[in-house]
Amino acid sequence: MLSEGRGVARRCAVWGSPIGHSLSPALHRAAYAALALHDWSYERREVDASGFADAFAGLDGTWVGLSLTMPLKEVALGAATTVTPVAAATGAANTLVRGTDDPSAWTAHNTDVHGLTTALRLAGCTDPTSLLVVGSGATARSAIATLAPGGRVVLMVRDRVRPETFGQAEAAGLVVETVGLGEWAAAAEVDAVVSTVPPASVPDLDGLPVVTHRDQRPVVLDVVYGSGRTPLQRAARERGWSVAEGTDMLLHQATEQVRLMTGHEAPLSAMSAALRAALLDRRAER
């Protein structure tokens, strides 16, 4: 991490495909402004999996960090010199940070786990012991990583669970169950439901259990953001669940990225205000 930004250009960016929807630039630029890192910049670039290696090889010494979104969270691991335990366990990196002692070295991080943990906590789900996760890709593995050994995860998928996701859950010492899409009876006893798939892919929401006789309301977290309430969020509200916001996950994974890339604690209030403004602008454009 490089902690100073005076006189020397420092460049960061978010890469992925598609990338036009990303709100990461608003969050990171707000952080740089609040931290008076006037020589830092943050860009957005369309990069797919096949183009990642060439794009990464083309980075010059001004580049400090990258945020990675789909479909780059898995391919980015191969570019790293060092992989943190969380990134290794999930097989996914949403952050690459250049080393200070060795500028040729890059470290792969997964800050999605921090974002998910914080979003669930803010909605009242602290230290969950059981989850139902819709999907089994990279973000699903980040959700699984919020559970401590001995916890229980139910994976709701259309066909079959990705082997690497099943393997991660077993290696973490979790009890693993699988159900088909729309088999919502499995959600009756979990602490939280985390959906990692497009909202239109989540069927049969009439079957989501009604919350009764629970000491603490379970939580639904739909990781998508920016398009208003999703059908899953609306169904959860109607049935007595607490709803965690995908924007909270986005915000808090970004605060951790800012800390890793700049060496400064992230200015949460400034980043939160920038996120609210960006969401309002997006809604006004529709």
Side-chain angles (χ1 to χ4, degrees):
M1 61 188 175
L2 299 174
S3 60
E4 296 300 326
R6 298 180 180 89
V8 179
R10 311 292 196 199
R11 301 173 69 188
C12 301
V14 59
W15 288 5
S17 183
I19 199 62
H21 69 287
S22 175
L23 296 180
S24 291
L27 292 168
H28 286 255
R29 290 168 185 169
Y32 301 162
L35 294 169
L37 297 178
H38 304 301
D39 296 301
W40 287 63
S41 64
Y42 191 95
E43 305 167 14
R44 181 192 289 118
R45 180 174 175 183
E46 184 86 12
V47 180
D48 62 17
S50 64
F52 176 82
D54 286 343
F56 189 72
L59 298 180
D60 65 23
T62 64
W63 285 88
V64 175
L66 294 175
S67 306
L68 293 315
T69 186
M70 299 304 291
L72 302 179
K73 292 183 180 182
E74 292 162 319
V75 70
L77 286 176
T81 313
T82 303
V83 178
T84 63
V86 173
T90 58
N94 74 328
T95 311
L96 288 171
V97 180
R98 187 189 288 276
T100 52
D101 296 332
D102 180 2
S104 68
W106 290 78
T107 299
H109 302 263
N110 183 331
T111 71
D112 282 339
V113 177
H114 175 77
L116 282 160
T117 300
T118 305
L120 289 171
R121 177 177 55 78
L122 290 172
C125 183
T126 302
D127 297 325
T129 61
S130 58
L131 293 179
L132 186 150
V133 181
V134 187
S136 66
T139 306
R141 294 196 295 277
S142 294
I144 290 168
T146 66
L147 290 170
R152 168 177 167 255
V153 61
V154 181
L155 296 169
M156 179 182 284
V157 293
R158 183 181 303 280
D159 296 313
R160 67 185 186 93
V161 175
R162 290 175 59 168
E164 58 269 36
T165 303
F166 198 94
Q168 175 210 347
E170 286 199 318
L174 303 179
V175 176
V176 188
E177 303 171 25
T178 61
V179 297
L181 275 182
E183 296 181 12
W184 290 108
E189 300 298 328
V190 298
D191 296 324
V193 169
V194 179
S195 178
T196 67
V197 302
S201 300
V202 184
D204 304 322
L205 289 172
D206 288 344
L208 186 69
V210 175
V211 174
T212 57
H213 309 299
R214 297 283 294 270
D215 292 335
Q216 182 172 317
R217 287 199 298 167
V219 172
V220 159
L221 170 58
D222 200 328
V223 301
V224 302
Y225 63 87
S227 299
R229 293 287 183 195
T230 67
L232 175 58
Q233 289 174 323
R234 290 195 294 270
R237 287 267 191 221
E238 293 168 357
R239 289 161 176 78
W241 295 65
S242 293
V243 173
E245 299 296 338
T247 48
D248 282 336
M249 176 191 169
L250 172 70
L251 173 63
H252 289 281
Q253 66 81 28
T255 62
E256 185 68 359
Q257 287 183 331
V258 168
R259 185 186 69 81
L260 291 167
M261 292 177 187
T262 70
H264 295 280
E265 288 301 315
L268 178 60
S269 60
M271 294 175 70
S272 180
L275 177 58
R276 289 193 300 271
L279 288 169
L280 286 172
D281 288 345
R282 177 168 294 180
R283 289 165 188 156
E285 291 170 359
R286 292 197 180 97

